[in-house]
């Protein structure tokens, strides 16, 4: 078990944006990088990604023992009580892997949603176990049209005695296969409000199907006559549940973007190293203008993603309105990771498409995460709204 540094929130003057890391954050960065190299080498990541090989449980168990899953969970609920920039540093290093698992989906998105909209009893019941990884609560939000707006939710919750009966399907559920619980968006047939219901993933009436070709165990989940009572509804009522989710999403997005930055950084370093060691016509290919152009394009995508992500994290930490920066970060970060992979494949040519080389781990992740919490087009529209355009 690795020792967790003290995740004290750094105090930065609101008028001066300082994106430099504190000594504690530098220590965290070094510790996580060493952990990823040790527990998630390329061979392990390829084994996890393989549809035919058994996923090793050891690396994930080691990750849960570090305490890092609780980085954004307050100390009174068993977490580390870290800042958003702390979380960005952690997930940037995990993104270099790219390390899979229900870390963002459970320990960030679901945990923040419970903090935003849960009752005190719900916070005490769930957050400590989410911080340790005992509970892997995954948000099941999107349906067949992959929409991230309230109007896209069609799964119904019908009053049934003293509780509810849930019916419908969720699609593109991240980490659906590994979830112990689902934080399911449902529309009340009685009030038409969209709320969030916590249901065990092994409940009678739940069927999970893996969607092949995606990263992050993307799943389709069928929910048929699944029973729930009022204590399982976030906040005890459907009204206000979607608003709590949107507030949590706004805080999750910059952390996700930091993960995408880490992935872009890893493939940049991989591409530069390859351009120096691969020779053609007796010279390193990095001396060819076309290859240099692709590396520069990759670096530009990486830098844009990095600065927009960390500006959003900084604004969240100091309490400044971050809506515009959050939407910008997601649009730039998702496109940046996607395009960085494209440029990397141009540099590597055929070898980059070989599974055993490792680049395709990032290619698949960049395509899968492109739509998570809204694609760039969705966030450009939201950015225009935030700017009053």
């Amino acid at each position: 078990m690795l020792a967790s540094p003290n995740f004290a929130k750094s105090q930065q003057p609101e008028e001066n944006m300082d994106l430099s890391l504190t000594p504690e954050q530098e220590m965290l960065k070094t510790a996580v990088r060493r952990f990823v190299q040790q527990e998630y080498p390329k061979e392990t990541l390829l084994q996890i990604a393989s549809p035919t090989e058994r996923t090793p449980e050891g690396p994930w168990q080691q990750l849960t023992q570090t305490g890092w899953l609780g980085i954004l969970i307050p100390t009174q609920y068993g977490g580390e009580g870290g800042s958003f920039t702390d979380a960005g540093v952690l997930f940037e290093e995990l993104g270099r892997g790219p390390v899979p698992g229900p870390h963002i989906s459970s320990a960030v998105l679901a945990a923040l949603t419970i903090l935003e909209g849960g009752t005190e009893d719900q916070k005490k019941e769930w957050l400590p176990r989410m911080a340790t990884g005992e509970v892997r609560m995954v948000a099941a939000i999107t349906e067949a049209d992959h929409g991230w707006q309230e109007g896209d939710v069609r799964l119904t919750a019908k009053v049934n005695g003293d509780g509810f009966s849930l019916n419908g399907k969720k699609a593109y559920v991240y980490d659906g296969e590994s979830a112990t619980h689902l934080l399911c968006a449902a529309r009340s047939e009685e009030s038409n409000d969209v709320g969030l219901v916590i249901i065990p993933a092994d409940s009678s009436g739940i069927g999970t199907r893996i969607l092949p070709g995606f990263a992050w165990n993307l799943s389709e989940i069928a929910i048929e006559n699944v029973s729930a009572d009022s204590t399982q509804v976030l906040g005890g009522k459907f009204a206000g549940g979607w608003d709590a989710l949107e507030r949590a999403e706004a805080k999750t997005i910059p952390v996700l973007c930091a993960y995408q930055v880490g992935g872009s950084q890893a493939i940049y370093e991989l591409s530069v190293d390859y351009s120096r060691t691969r020779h053609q016509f007796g010279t390193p290919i990095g001396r060819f203008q076309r290859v240099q152009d692709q590396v520069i394009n990759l670096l530009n995508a990486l830098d844009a993603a990095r600065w927009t992500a960390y500006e959003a994290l900084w604004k969240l930490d100091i309490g400044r309105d971050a809506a515009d920066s959050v939407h910008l970060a997601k649009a730039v970060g998702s496109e940046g990771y996607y395009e960085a992979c494209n440029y990397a494949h141009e540099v590597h040519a055929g070898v980059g498409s070989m599974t055993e080389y490792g680049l395709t781990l990032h290619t698949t992740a960049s395509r899968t995460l492109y739509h998570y919490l809204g694609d760039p087009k969705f966030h450009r529209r939201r950015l225009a709204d935030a700017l009053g355009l």
Side-chain angles (χ1 to χ4, degrees):
M1 174 175 174
L2 296 177
S4 297
N6 179 19
F7 298 118
K9 291 187 177 181
S10 58
Q11 300 297 320
Q12 300 181 11
E14 182 169 335
E15 65 274 10
N16 297 320
M17 184 170 69
D18 182 4
L19 301 185
S20 60
L21 300 182
T22 65
E24 292 79 9
Q25 289 165 346
E26 291 286 2
M27 290 172 57
L28 172 63
K29 187 181 187 75
T30 301
V32 181
R33 183 171 302 185
R34 186 182 302 118
F35 174 84
V36 172
Q37 292 171 345
Q38 177 179 326
E39 299 295 337
Y40 287 93
K42 181 178 67 175
E43 293 73 21
T44 297
L45 293 170
L46 289 171
Q47 184 181 355
I48 294 172
S50 173
T52 59
E53 294 192 47
R54 180 177 177 273
T55 298
E57 297 181 0
W60 174 257
Q61 294 301 321
Q62 291 296 321
L63 180 57
T64 63
Q65 292 174 22
T66 63
W68 292 333
L69 293 182
I71 194 167
L72 287 177
I73 296 175
T75 54
Q76 64 263 39
Y77 301 118
E80 297 286 350
S83 70
F84 287 98
T85 302
D86 293 336
V89 171
L90 167 63
F91 281 95
E92 180 180 341
E93 290 304 316
L94 293 178
R96 290 173 65 96
V99 173
H103 35 55
I104 290 179
S105 56
S106 177
V108 181
L109 178 59
L112 290 175
T113 304
I114 290 176
L115 282 169
E116 291 289 340
T119 65
E120 188 62 24
D121 285 343
Q122 288 171 335
K123 294 174 185 177
K124 291 178 179 178
E125 178 181 2
W126 297 111
L127 292 176
R129 292 191 287 163
M130 293 167 75
T132 62
E134 175 191 349
V135 166
R136 301 180 296 278
M137 187 180 296
V138 170
I141 309 300
T142 54
E143 301 184 9
D145 58 3
H146 212 171
W148 286 93
Q149 299 186 76
E150 186 176 9
D152 297 321
V153 177
R154 296 181 179 87
L155 186 141
T156 60
K158 184 178 182 180
V159 174
N160 183 12
D162 295 332
F164 307 92
S165 180
L166 304 178
N167 282 277
K169 282 187 177 181
K170 293 297 179 181
Y172 313 105
V173 178
Y174 286 68
D175 302 304
E177 183 186 33
S178 57
T180 61
H181 295 77
L182 300 174
L183 185 61
C184 185
R187 185 176 298 275
S188 169
E189 284 194 351
E190 184 179 25
S191 65
N192 203 41
D193 291 315
V194 174
L196 300 166
V197 186
I198 302 170
I199 52 178
D202 60 355
S203 297
S204 176
I206 291 182
T208 301
R209 180 175 71 90
I210 296 297
L211 299 177
F214 295 94
W216 288 51
N217 290 320
L218 223 61
S219 305
E220 178 184 81
I221 298 179
I223 298 175
E224 184 176 355
N225 296 323
V226 174
S227 300
D229 58 42
S230 59
T231 64
Q232 294 171 257
V233 179
L234 191 71
K237 57 183 180 180
F238 281 82
W242 187 264
D243 291 338
L245 174 65
E246 287 199 324
R247 293 193 299 271
E249 285 178 357
K251 295 176 178 179
T252 300
I253 285 170
V255 178
L256 170 64
C257 292
Y259 184 95
Q260 293 171 314
V261 167
S264 299
Q265 179 70 42
I267 60 177
Y268 166 72
E269 294 172 4
L270 190 67
S271 299
V272 169
D273 183 64
Y274 185 77
S275 72
R276 290 171 174 169
T277 56
R278 174 72 168 95
H279 285 68
Q280 189 70 35
F281 306 113
T283 188
I285 63 171
R287 293 184 179 179
F288 299 145
Q289 184 66 52
R290 182 59 177 163
V291 174
Q292 292 174 4
D293 289 343
Q294 300 298 352
V295 172
I296 290 171
N297 289 336
L298 199 167
L299 180 60
N300 287 339
L302 165 62
D303 282 347
R306 181 184 302 281
W307 297 120
T308 52
Y310 278 89
E311 179 189 45
L313 292 165
W314 173 78
K315 283 187 175 181
L316 289 174
D317 280 335
I318 66 171
R320 183 182 293 182
D321 182 12
D324 55 348
S325 295
V326 166
H327 297 308
L328 179 62
K330 185 56 168 72
V332 172
S334 288
E335 283 193 342
Y337 193 18
Y338 182 99
E339 292 297 343
C341 287
N342 291 347
Y343 296 132
H345 278 282
E346 292 285 347
V347 172
H348 285 84
V351 70
S353 298
M354 298 172 61
T355 301
E356 59 269 27
Y357 186 72
L359 177 56
T360 55
L361 290 168
H362 286 284
T363 309
T364 305
S366 72
R367 272 62 177 164
T368 306
L369 295 177
Y370 189 87
H371 296 278
Y372 190 39
L373 304 181
D375 63 16
K377 184 178 180 180
F378 172 81
H379 282 284
R380 285 195 185 94
R381 291 196 296 264
R382 299 291 296 272
L383 174 60
D385 293 339
L387 296 174
L389 301 178

